Amino acid sequence: MPLLMSFQSIAISARKSLVKKIFWHTVRYFTGLLDYTRHYAISSFSLIKDYYSDKKLNIQTDETYHFQDNSSLFKDGQIYQPTPYYMLEKIVDYLKPKPEDILVDFGSGKGRVVFFMALQRLKKVTGLELNRELIDIAQKNLNSFSLSHSPIEFVNADASTFRIQDESIFFMFNPFGSKTIGKVIDNIKHSLITNPRQVQIVYYSPAYRNLLYSQDWLSLRKDIDNGGCLIWHNKS
């Protein structure tokens, strides 16, 4: 009898364990399904918003652009990907650009960031792009863009050798590798020696964020979307 009770106890325990495993497997499945559905909905909304925002501005800045970087100093250029408009809205909401601000977008591609920022009232907005084909597309967009409140300029140059003077906002959507980003950060730092001022560095999709975290003259002031976009200020 005790042996039978022992077997029954083991059987009951096994069933409970099985039910528990099935329960948590089901929970994980539906949690994953909800996460996927949420991600799909957000991505779809972003695509729709990007399409109609481009239409409204009379520009064409969507579609990823792949190219081989053989001309930059460090040969570490990345593919062009347009920054989602919803993210640009969040960035502007935090930055609150002023009429005296000058913004430069490193790796500006087809110009989406430049055109969106030019809707604000800034002293100047510059798009810096090394790829000649992308510059041509951006220039074509500029010719059809009619809503600007700020002067716009596209510059065909290497980010690592671009002379930084009085710019106050720097934007990067993971446009190149660590060597070029490191050089750009150094150039910004050195420009503050000859022209002390407050600057902000916006880094979307910050693959090399540690390069900025390691700078003792910078302070992280804003984290948008759990590390999706980080904004640094120089310490006063």
Side-chain angles (χ1 to χ4, degrees):
M1 191 68 173
L3 184 59
L4 178 60
M5 292 179 63
S6 177
F7 278 125
Q8 289 175 336
S9 177
I10 292 173
I12 292 171
S13 177
R15 283 196 297 271
K16 287 182 178 180
S17 177
L18 178 60
V19 170
K20 185 177 181 180
K21 287 179 180 179
I22 292 174
F23 172 77
W24 285 114
H25 176 73
T26 304
V27 168
R28 285 193 294 269
Y29 172 79
F30 280 105
T31 299
L33 186 61
L34 288 172
D35 287 344
Y36 174 80
T37 302
R38 177 177 173 275
H39 176 74
Y40 178 80
I42 292 173
S43 298
S44 298
F45 170 78
S46 180
L47 287 173
I48 295 169
K49 184 178 183 64
D50 290 351
Y51 175 81
Y52 283 105
S53 295
D54 262 12
K55 285 285 187 183
K56 180 180 179 180
L57 300 181
N58 199 29
I59 57 178
Q60 193 278 312
T61 61
D62 61 355
E63 298 181 7
T64 300
Y65 183 92
H66 296 267
F67 61 92
Q68 186 171 356
D69 178 13
N70 292 319
S71 55
S72 69
L73 181 62
F74 299 110
K75 294 180 174 53
D76 59 354
Q78 309 282 7
I79 62 174
Y80 163 73
Q81 299 178 79
T83 305
Y85 279 100
Y86 84 87
M87 178 57 68
L88 291 174
E89 290 174 351
K90 290 183 178 183
I91 291 169
V92 166
D93 185 60
Y94 172 76
L95 293 178
K96 295 179 172 57
K98 302 177 180 61
E100 64 270 21
D101 278 321
I102 300 175
L103 181 144
V104 58
D105 176 18
F106 289 102
S108 56
K110 299 178 183 180
R112 177 179 291 183
V113 172
V114 172
F115 295 120
F116 186 84
M117 291 299 181
L119 295 175
Q120 319 305 312
R121 297 189 182 277
L122 283 75
K123 186 175 181 179
K124 185 178 181 181
V125 183
T126 299
L128 187 69
E129 175 59 54
L130 184 58
N131 185 278
R132 184 70 250 180
E133 291 184 29
L134 286 172
I135 281 284
D136 291 341
I137 295 172
Q139 192 61 49
K140 182 179 179 181
N141 281 327
L142 179 58
N143 293 337
S144 62
F145 181 64
S146 59
L147 300 177
S148 181
H149 298 302
S150 312
I152 293 174
E153 179 184 21
F154 286 102
V155 179
N156 185 206
D158 191 322
S160 65
T161 59
F162 178 71
R163 186 185 178 193
I164 296 170
Q165 301 180 74
D166 50 359
E167 294 82 4
S168 55
I169 303 175
F170 304 92
F171 186 94
M172 294 184 287
F173 178 6
N174 191 24
F176 22 65
S178 60
K179 290 184 179 179
T180 298
I181 288 180
K183 181 61 177 172
V184 168
I185 295 170
D186 286 343
N187 292 344
I188 296 172
K189 180 181 179 181
H190 289 311
S191 77
L192 296 175
I193 297 174
T194 55
N195 181 18
R197 63 198 188 283
Q198 284 296 307
V199 300
Q200 301 181 86
I201 301 175
V202 182
Y203 192 4
Y204 179 51
S205 188
Y208 303 102
R209 68 190 70 189
N210 288 339
L211 290 173
L212 287 99
Y213 276 125
S214 66
Q215 303 297 314
D216 59 8
W217 59 280
L218 288 175
S219 174
L220 178 63
R221 296 293 179 84
K222 183 65 175 178
D223 180 336
I224 302 175
D225 283 2
N226 296 318
C229 181
L230 303 175
I231 302 177
W232 277 268
H233 294 217
N234 58 318
K235 296 177 181 178
S236 55

